[in-house]
Amino acid sequence: QVQLQESGPGLVKPSETLSLSCTVSGASISSYFWSWIRQPPGKGLEWIGYISYSGSSNFNPSLRSRVTISRDTSKNQLSLTLTSVTAADTAVYYCVREEGSSSGFGNWFDPWGQGTLVTVSS
Amino acid sequence: DIQMTQSPSSLSASVGDTVTITCRASQYIINYLNWYQQKPGKAPKLLISAASNLPAGVPSRFIGSGSGTHFTLTISSLQPDDFATYYCQQSYGTPITFGQGTRLEI
């Protein structure tokens, strides 16, 4: 059974950097695509970006200039970094596995981590 | 970006009813359309992949259909556990985008 667990600070100050980790069990991060998705309180879902089994990445253009997704294959962990945060970055952040094709097209998200709420406030 | 538009935004129904949620894509996406169910305080859960495929464990009362730009999720014989928010999502192109959600209420 694949499980994903996000972790990181629940409170980040404006203009600072948000850093989250995702520990994966039951599957190797050297297989599949792995995405980060966020959801502001009471709002819809926004795809942030992915890192592939090969280590390549792709980001939402709306966040591309501020986002980094990396991995540590020895720990089977993923990381998300978002710089220069504002209150608009307050959200629940989910780590998610993509399933489907090796090309990344036509994939779906399953399973999801439980999510971690990050609040941006001074 | 491919825009995904769900309708209705909210829906009231009763146990035993059949409801249909529509998702339209702003451009052709073949069948690269997935549906998720989200309950308050929980992560979304995959409900249907590739427009009409039911993952193991998802009840057969959930039916997905459509291709191209028009897709539907039909839930028959509503159960109390089905009252939640439903999202569609396209994976034809990046950025991957979601519909705004449909809240299904009792």
Side-chain angles (χ1 to χ4, degrees), chain B residues 8-60:
Chain B
S9 295
S10 64
L11 180 58
S12 294
S14 301
V15 172
D17 285 354
T18 295
V19 299
T20 296
I21 300 169
T22 297
C23 180
R24 291 185 184 273
S26 61
Q27 66 182 72
Y28 181 76
I29 59 169
I30 316 178
N31 68 333
Y32 293 169
L33 189 284
N34 308 307
W35 291 96
Y36 302 87
Q37 177 193 66
Q38 186 178 33
K39 297 181 180 178
K42 300 294 185 182
K45 169 192 166 185
L46 178 68
L47 207 57
I48 288 175
S49 63
S52 61
N53 293 335
L54 246 60
V58 175
S60 58

Side-chain angles (χ1 to χ4, degrees), chain A residues 39 43-45 47 58 60-61 94 105-110 112-113, chain B residues 32 34 36 38 42-44 46 49 87 89 91-92 94-96 98:
Chain A
Q39 184 174 36
K43 296 188 178 180
L45 299 160
W47 175 74
N58 193 347
N60 193 320
Y94 295 103
F105 291 101
N107 286 0
W108 51 89
F109 298 119
D110 184 52
W112 296 59
Chain B
Y32 293 169
N34 308 307
Y36 302 87
Q38 186 178 33
K42 300 294 185 182
L46 178 68
S49 63
Y87 293 93
Q89 170 248 324
S91 55
Y92 182 81
T94 56
I96 294 168
F98 293 84

Side-chain angles (χ1 to χ4, degrees), chain A residues 13-79:
Chain A
K13 289 182 168 55
S15 81
E16 296 191 344
T17 296
L18 178 161
S19 295
L20 297 176
S21 295
C22 173
T23 300
V24 178
S25 60
S28 170
I29 63 171
S30 296
S31 302
Y32 302 99
F33 286 72
W34 303 87
S35 277
W36 287 91
I37 293 168
R38 69 180 183 178
Q39 184 174 36
K43 296 188 178 180
L45 299 160
E46 179 180 34
W47 175 74
I48 298 170
Y50 71 63
I51 187 166
S52 77
Y53 52 86
S54 67
S56 63
S57 55
N58 193 347
F59 304 112
N60 193 320
S62 67
L63 298 168
R64 181 171 289 143
S65 64
R66 300 193 291 131
V67 172
T68 302
I69 297 177
S70 59
R71 64 180 185 170
D72 184 335
T73 55
S74 66
K75 295 181 179 178
N76 219 38
Q77 278 185 346
L78 308 162
S79 295

